[in-house]
Amino acid sequence: MSDFTAVIDRRGSDSIKWGRYAGRDILPLWVADMDFAAPPAVLAALQERLAHPVFGYGQPGPALTESVLAHLESEYDWRIAAEAIVWLPGLVSGLNIACRAIDGDVLTAAPIYPPFLSAPRLAGRTLHRADLVADDAGWHWDKNALAAASTVNTRLFLLCHPHNPVGRCWRRDELLDLADFAERHDLIVCADEIHCGLVLDETRRHIPFASLSPQAARRSITLMAPSKTFNIPGLGCAFAVIPDAALRRRFLRAMDGIVPHPNVLGLAACEAAYRDCGDWHRELLAVLRANRDRVELTVDRLPGLKMHHVEATYLAWIDARGLGLADAQAHFEQHGIGLSDGRDFGAPGWLRLNFGCPPATLEQALSRLAAGAAAA
């Protein structure tokens, strides 16, 4: 058993999350890393690797590849060939590589994780947005907006699945609609599936986009990593699954000379995470479900704030426009809670709250959230 109630002091460490508010009484619930210790099996694998004194250039071994293949098959009933895997130092690298590898305009749906908005620009591509729709039933795709945003020059669709920040775990019928759209418009689909291990609703199951059909697989780049689920983003290890050999060659060419290999500690951690951490993962999901429920209950009671149910991720997407604030993020910082600014996601007036933390930390943060809402 792991202790998910332990409050680990990260102040004064190398943490970007906690360093933002160094010397200030502000609880950081912004960037997407959790305040939980990494799984014991991962820590043991790192200690074993550290016992070997040479840290030269590394490469993924057969045991690591097997752990990935077995994990994808057992968790998602997705069988892939080993040669379809392309190792990366991080998922954001993968988004940027995809934008460089595929000629033409890029399409995505906002609100969205900020690198989806910056990667096309950095690659010199034109970005088209089709905003998601929120109604009483929750967040969903706007098919008419997708069709209107796609042009004859659009060649790449960036899909976030599960979706950051709105917390949707897309259903099979929704994914099939997107696959049909991609087929009709001849789009490559780059699917960021880094939160696939964080489906909180027990009635939902993550379905990799590429697993829908052979046709979907041929036009897909799937980006995955153990970093979010097992809280090891600082170890820099991710991978792309690209079943189509020609598409994989384009992706690899775009990597040449600019993308480093994953580091050897990240490779060791990845293998252990996928192979040995099933019990830890189940415990984590139970804690996150309880935290999610606590956040939703609190926000539902606060005037001026709204949110939809979070099916997946440890991120709450909160509509603060009802408070009438010019800068909602700055306002809540003044009340001791640091949240992500919705403007960075293409949605001014919204806030993202990371509830991947011990319950005691979350309770303190929600008290500050309530105080900030009352003072607006």
Side-chain angles (χ1 to χ4, degrees):
M1 295 286 291
S2 296
D3 186 2
F4 291 96
T5 66
V7 177
I8 301 170
D9 190 355
R10 301 178 68 188
R11 293 170 298 181
S13 71
D14 56 9
S15 168
I16 292 174
K17 179 180 184 180
W18 284 81
R20 168 177 279 191
Y21 300 115
R24 302 166 66 188
D25 183 20
I26 298 177
L27 286 175
L29 273 67
W30 62 288
V31 72
D33 73 25
M34 296 186 287
D35 289 324
F36 301 126
V42 167
L43 297 175
L46 292 172
Q47 291 294 340
E48 181 179 350
R49 180 61 186 87
L50 287 169
H52 192 292
V54 179
F55 298 95
Y57 297 116
Q59 61 182 350
L64 171 56
T65 300
E66 179 54 37
S67 75
V68 172
L69 298 179
H71 177 80
L72 296 180
E73 183 170 359
S74 65
E75 291 293 312
Y76 313 117
D77 196 27
W78 187 26
R79 290 178 274 291
I80 67 167
E83 58 266 23
I85 299 174
V86 178
W87 290 95
L88 298 164
L91 188 133
V92 173
S93 297
L95 288 172
N96 282 271
I97 295 161
C99 289
R100 287 164 170 76
I102 308 303
D103 294 329
D105 295 356
V106 181
L107 175 64
T108 198
I112 193 66
Y113 178 50
F116 277 62
L117 303 176
S118 63
R121 172 178 53 80
L122 294 172
R125 309 300 191 207
T126 299
L127 174 66
H128 303 279
R129 277 177 43 175
D131 289 353
L132 297 173
V133 174
D135 56 26
D136 291 342
W139 289 93
H140 56 86
W141 297 94
D142 184 333
K143 296 180 183 180
N144 292 330
L146 272 178
S150 183
T151 72
V152 293
N153 297 317
T154 306
R155 288 293 172 266
L156 177 65
F157 178 56
L158 299 180
L159 169 66
C160 198
H161 169 46
H163 195 281
N164 173 10
V166 307
R168 278 299 316 280
C169 175
W170 303 117
R171 300 187 309 268
R172 181 176 294 275
D173 62 311
E174 293 171 306
L175 294 171
L176 287 171
D177 282 345
L178 292 176
D180 177 68
F181 178 83
E183 191 75 25
R184 287 186 287 108
H185 292 266
D186 193 23
L187 304 178
I188 300 298
V189 177
C190 179
D192 166 4
E193 303 191 12
I194 197 171
H195 291 96
C196 59
L198 295 166
V199 177
L200 304 182
D201 281 8
E202 295 179 272
T203 59
R204 299 280 189 210
R205 188 184 184 195
H206 178 75
I207 303 168
F209 177 85
S211 72
L212 292 171
S213 68
Q215 293 79 13
R218 281 196 295 270
R219 60 176 63 255
S220 68
I221 299 167
T222 304
L223 303 176
M224 289 183 162
S227 55
K228 299 301 182 187
T229 302
F230 302 98
N231 203 35
I232 49 176
L235 292 176
C237 182
F239 58 92
V241 178
I242 311 176
D244 183 78
L247 180 57
R248 191 163 63 247
R249 285 192 295 269
R250 293 168 68 183
F251 192 86
L252 288 166
R253 281 198 301 269
M255 291 174 59
D256 281 348
I258 59 172
V259 180
H261 300 291
N263 74 75
V264 293
L265 296 181
L267 295 173
C270 181
E271 180 180 338
Y274 286 142
R275 187 188 59 212
D276 302 325
C277 296
D279 289 343
W280 183 93
H281 181 215
R282 283 184 284 276
E283 293 173 30
L284 170 72
L285 291 178
V287 172
L288 292 179
R289 285 188 195 105
N291 281 1
R292 182 268 316 270
D293 294 346
R294 186 73 186 90
V295 173
E296 291 183 355
L297 181 64
T298 298
V299 171
D300 185 58
R301 292 174 173 174
L302 294 177
L305 298 181
K306 296 188 298 182
M307 64 176 289
H308 287 286
H309 177 64
V310 180
E311 298 173 347
T313 79
Y314 47 77
L315 306 166
W317 185 235
I318 300 171
D319 184 357
R321 292 174 297 177
L323 297 176
L325 299 168
D327 189 333
Q329 182 195 39
H331 172 82
F332 281 98
E333 285 179 345
Q334 291 170 4
H335 290 82
I337 180 172
L339 307 173
S340 296
D341 191 337
R343 284 176 291 200
D344 297 334
F345 299 78
W350 294 72
L351 298 165
R352 192 187 73 171
L353 182 152
N354 173 355
F355 55 82
C357 58
T361 302
L362 182 63
E363 283 302 317
Q364 187 180 6
L366 292 178
S367 176
R368 297 180 180 196
L369 183 75

